[in-house]
Amino acid sequence: MSDTLPRHNWSKSEIEALYVQSLDALIGQALEVKRANWPDGALQKSQLLSIKTGGCPEDCGYCSQSAKYDTGLSASKLMEVKKVLAGARRAKEAGASRYCMGAAWREPKERDMPAIVAMIEGVREMGMETCMTLGMLSPEQTIQLKDAGLDYYNHNIDTSEEFYPSIITTRTFQDRIDTLERVREAGINVCSGGILGLGEERQDRAGMLMALGNLTEHPQSVPINMLIPIEGTPLGENAKIDAIEFVRTIAVARIMMPKSIVRLSAGREWMSDETQALCFLAGANSIFVGDELLTTKNPGQDKDQALFDKLGLEPMPAHSCPSEV
């Protein structure tokens, strides 16, 4: 019987040993862990909206929204609150239980915080979970978000600490960990994961999962993204990551963080139905729905529903994530 209880003392060698198992053994272990903590066939659905697009001063090598790269994307101002809330209503009608709002900032400016608070409060009034991704936060901003009722704060660590400087130089890996700690201490659920296909090695995937799995509390949501190469960025010519390696990472994340939502995030547009099915079997129990993820494509509602019908997947109610991870 696998240990299905959370632990926070993973070594890289332990994680790499999980990776090298036969695929059936790895998925079998991950499925055992998932079934001990989550109902069969339940899928959490989130929808993501870019509330402020482009013009970001960061140099993340994968990002179309960085002002440092010519990707053909025009910068926009922060969206009006009423337009954000209208989008949230449509997302709820389409079956999403969580509404995620992202702004292309290094950190929010104080003048934008009243609108951010109004967005959070408005989405919560609809009965949806709320999530924001706004970059780094000051202690005061973190408290403002908590007081507004924010359920989740997303701040991905992207990759391992060792590989991180190859992808981003305008902030450090520790900056990201510090933001996660600040969010956790404020009592906001943490959403943090990484991106596969950045040019990293398996040891970096293990390092990324080790950093998340050894946090004081596991992130309540762990998004695993497949890089979508964007023309004009430094990683615009990267090769697509192997699908089975992606599935293995989902399974290892599930084993390491049994009570966390593991989200199959960016890159689903590139995945076959069979790859997505393997990811769900390996422990993924959340997706982003809708036609777009910030600035990239996502499978549409009809395509997704056809897949869910084939796999027998049903929406998970809001507020289903265990609080102790």
Side-chain angles (χ1 to χ4, degrees):
M1 174 67 72
S2 301
D3 183 0
T4 62
L5 297 176
R7 48 176 289 207
H8 307 266
N9 60 346
W10 291 92
S11 70
K12 189 176 288 188
S13 61
E14 285 181 291
I15 301 168
E16 291 176 340
L18 290 174
Y19 264 101
V20 299
Q21 297 180 87
S22 65
L23 188 62
D24 58 346
L26 177 59
I27 289 181
Q29 186 177 349
L31 185 56
E32 183 179 5
V33 171
K34 178 179 177 290
R35 282 181 163 168
N37 293 278
W38 299 93
D40 286 339
L43 187 68
Q44 191 273 330
K45 295 183 179 182
S46 298
Q47 187 152 333
L48 178 60
L49 174 70
S50 179
I51 59 174
K52 192 280 173 189
T53 303
C56 181
E58 303 279 20
D59 68 352
C60 305
Y62 52 80
C63 188
S64 64
Q65 302 198 65
S66 172
K68 299 182 182 298
Y69 312 129
D70 182 10
T71 63
L73 185 71
S74 300
S76 69
K77 296 181 179 179
L78 184 65
M79 285 180 66
E80 296 178 10
V81 173
K82 63 180 181 181
K83 292 184 178 180
V84 172
L85 298 185
R89 291 187 193 95
R90 291 192 296 271
K92 183 178 181 180
E93 290 169 359
S97 62
R98 184 182 304 175
Y99 201 56
C100 305
M101 296 158 275
W105 286 325
R106 177 177 170 83
E107 67 274 310
K109 294 182 173 61
E110 286 307 312
R111 66 172 182 261
D112 295 314
M113 290 305 294
I116 294 296
V117 166
M119 292 173 192
I120 295 168
E121 292 175 341
V123 174
R124 279 184 61 86
E125 288 176 2
M126 299 177 198
M128 300 181 77
E129 298 173 10
T130 55
C131 181
M132 283 278 180
T133 178
L134 310 170
M136 296 187 292
L137 297 173
S138 69
E140 295 76 18
Q141 290 169 337
T142 308
I143 295 303
Q144 283 180 275
L145 296 178
K146 172 62 176 176
D147 289 346
L150 183 66
D151 295 299
Y152 291 84
Y153 192 78
N154 169 260
H155 199 60
N156 291 336
I157 61 171
D158 291 343
T159 188
S160 68
E161 184 171 8
E162 294 78 10
F163 191 65
Y164 185 91
S166 301
I167 305 302
I168 302 157
T169 66
T170 47
R171 75 172 84 172
T172 67
F173 189 86
Q174 190 60 47
D175 286 336
R176 292 186 182 256
I177 297 297
D178 290 345
T179 296
L180 296 179
E181 185 67 14
R182 189 171 293 130
V183 167
R184 185 191 65 78
E185 289 179 349
I188 301 171
N189 291 316
V190 169
C191 175
S192 186
I195 307 171
L196 308 189
L198 300 173
E200 79 284 352
E201 301 292 338
R202 179 178 283 177
Q203 64 185 6
D204 296 305
R205 295 167 206 135
M208 181 266 290
L209 293 176
M210 184 176 72
L212 296 173
N214 288 348
L215 292 173
T216 305
E217 291 182 10
H218 294 161
Q220 281 75 16
S221 285
V222 180
I224 305 295
N225 299 274
M226 178 183 286
L227 176 70
I228 301 174
I230 303 295
E231 185 177 353
T233 66
L235 304 185
E237 301 297 324
N238 274 32
K240 181 180 177 182
I241 189 169
D242 178 74
I244 298 301
E245 183 69 10
F246 191 92
V247 172
R248 285 183 180 276
T249 304
I250 293 285
V252 174
R254 168 52 64 214
I255 292 166
M256 291 178 61
M257 293 170 277
K259 294 185 181 295
S260 301
I261 288 275
V262 176
R263 180 172 301 116
L264 187 56
S265 297
R268 285 202 306 117
E269 179 74 8
W270 283 18
M271 297 179 194
S272 67
D273 285 357
E274 292 78 10
T275 296
Q276 293 185 69
L278 273 178
C279 287
F280 297 134
L281 191 64
N285 60 345
S286 175
I287 58 163
F288 279 122
V289 295
D291 294 335
E292 284 189 339
L293 296 180
L294 296 179
T295 63
T296 58
K297 291 184 178 180
N298 197 48
Q301 184 177 355
D302 291 346
K303 186 175 180 181
D304 272 345
Q305 191 58 55
L307 175 61
F308 304 153
D309 288 344
K310 284 195 289 186
L311 300 181
L313 298 175
E314 296 291 340
M316 191 182 297
H319 307 292
S320 297
C321 184
S323 59
E324 181 55 50
V325 295

